[in-house]
Amino acid sequence: MNALFQADLSFLFEQPSIWLALVETLIVLTPLAIALSGFAAWRVGDRRGLILIFWVCAYLLWLHWPQPLDAALVLPGRVVSVIGWFWLLGAWSRRVNWHEPLLLVSNGLVVAFLLALFLTTAIATIRDIMGWDMPA
C-alpha cells in the first residue's frame, strides 16, 4: 500500500505509472482547492466556508493518517475515502457562488482540478486497458 494514502488506488489500475501518480495527486489537490474556495467564501462573508474548511481538514487527516489500517478495515477504509471525497465535492457544489472575483477564481480552480482529474483518469484507464504501461 502507498504510504501517502489511507486508501490505496492500486485496485483501479493494474500497473503503476506516472498517470496513477497524477491521479493520486489530483485527488489530494481537489480537496485543497475546495478548502481554498471555502476560505474565499468566508472572506466574502459566508460563514459556511469555515465549516467546509473543517471538513476538508478532517478528510485530509483521514486520507493521510500515519497508521496503516488493519487488513479487515482496508476495504471499508477505501469506501469511506471515496464517499468522503464525493461528499466534499457535493458540499462544495451546494455552496458554490460566482458573484465575486475571489469566488470566481477559487471556484474556477476547483473546476480546473476536476477537469484535469477527469482527463487524467481517462488517459490512465485507457493506457492501463491497452497495456501501454506494462514493463518491457
Side-chain angles (χ1 to χ4, degrees):
M1 178 169 10
N2 191 348
L4 179 63
F5 292 100
Q6 186 65 267
D8 184 16
L9 295 179
S10 64
F11 67 98
L12 293 175
F13 305 104
E14 290 180 13
Q15 300 296 325
S17 69
I18 187 69
W19 295 101
L20 176 61
L22 286 172
V23 168
E24 289 177 342
T25 302
L26 287 169
I27 285 174
V28 171
L29 287 179
T30 302
L32 292 175
I34 290 173
L36 179 67
S37 174
F39 178 74
W42 173 70
R43 292 294 295 161
V44 169
D46 186 3
R47 286 189 226 166
R48 294 177 297 170
L50 287 177
I51 296 170
L52 189 59
I53 292 172
F54 169 77
W55 286 113
V56 167
C57 290
Y59 177 74
L60 289 176
L61 180 66
W62 160 254
L63 198 62
H64 297 290
W65 191 255
Q67 298 295 325
L69 291 175
D70 294 332
L73 296 177
V74 169
L75 185 58
R78 289 178 180 166
V79 170
V80 167
S81 296
V82 170
I83 290 174
W85 193 86
F86 280 108
W87 183 87
L88 279 178
L89 194 62
W92 168 77
S93 66
R94 283 189 300 272
R95 62 126 230 102
V96 67
N97 290 317
W98 302 93
H99 65 280
E100 295 279 338
L102 183 62
L103 295 176
L104 181 65
V105 170
S106 64
N107 292 328
L109 188 65
V110 175
V111 170
F113 278 131
L114 289 174
L115 288 174
L117 180 63
F118 173 75
L119 291 174
T120 306
T121 304
I123 290 170
T125 303
I126 290 170
R127 290 183 65 85
D128 194 55
I129 290 171
M130 298 299 236
W132 292 339
D133 287 326
M134 295 282 195

